[in-house]
Amino acid sequence: MQELHDAPLAPLTTFRLGGPATRLVTATTDAEVIAAVREADADGTPLLVIGGGSNLVIGDKGFEGTALRIATSGFELTGTTLELAAGEVWTDAVARTVEAGLAGVECLAGIPGSAGATPIQNVGAYGQEVSSTITEVIAYDRRAGETVALTAAECAFSYRHSRFKADPERYVVLRVRFALEDADGLSAPLKYAETARALGVEPGERVPLADARETVLKLRAGKGMVLDPEDHDTWSAGSFFTNPILTDADFAVFHARVKERLGDGVEPPAYPAGEGYTKTSAAWLIDKAGFAKGYGDGPARISTKHTLALTNRGAATTEDLLVLAREVVAGVREAFGVTLVNEPVTVGVSL
């Protein structure tokens, strides 16, 4: 186990922001992960678990405690069953499943971060969510002091949420198991209209796995959502805000605000989100509230490719980012009465 003191954390995040940790431990095996967690808990030391750093906003003052970087490895494919170590690079794992001819996560290509983070956030994009293929999560239960196996039902998955996110101090994910599909080299049925349109097929159809993956990568790259050190539009956490899910009553109020502000001919995006609920688009809200692509004149700005990404243009601080985020939240609330919720986890700071 590697151990550093007063260690910079910014290089471990896709934002490239944040101050140092008192202590940084890098664990390469499950046993090392558990040992580091047990040590911190026994000493009462604050613990910050870091995977790929793609969903973290760390304060400029850093983290007083132990930062545990999970760098475990393991890709085990048995038939259509896949087990990934938490430290596996997610986008590489997706590529390997496509090469193996197995469907289920191909539309999650290009998402930065580690495999262990995917169940925490119930990562999803382009019509797929990991909750549809995860069968089991192996985690260290800090409360019980033991390793446990949680079924998909026990993970309590919902939109960008899970049991792990609801109780972030309890579990440290070690391994994730998936049930994939052998569809003779074809993808899962395409659920996302943009993906189907780009592939020239109708939603619900299947396409060759490699075509689905490559198309998603191109769509993501066009929005600055594929990591590129030379492109500051990718110095971000991807989508900074989740898409709001409104009750039918709240959506009616929101709909009236849209008509009042934008005119009778404008209809906001609306997607079914369960009985009594409708999901709308955070990107649409941000744009219509007056925050266009590239908005801002400081070191933190909205991406030039996608209104949902807040970016570090190279010299930003975390506070610069938060000032921009707060401005966007306040602007959307004033325009439409909807409060945006940040998707990344904040450490030592808040909106």
Side-chain angles (χ1 to χ4, degrees), residues 243-256:
N243 289 322
I245 296 177
L246 307 176
T247 65
D248 287 346
D250 287 341
F251 188 83
V253 174
F254 161 60
H255 192 266

Side-chain angles (χ1 to χ4, degrees), residues 77 79 106 113 129 211 216 242 260-261 269 298 316:
L77 190 59
E106 61 279 359
E129 288 182 328
D211 291 354
V216 166
T242 57
E260 178 184 336
R261 181 180 177 90

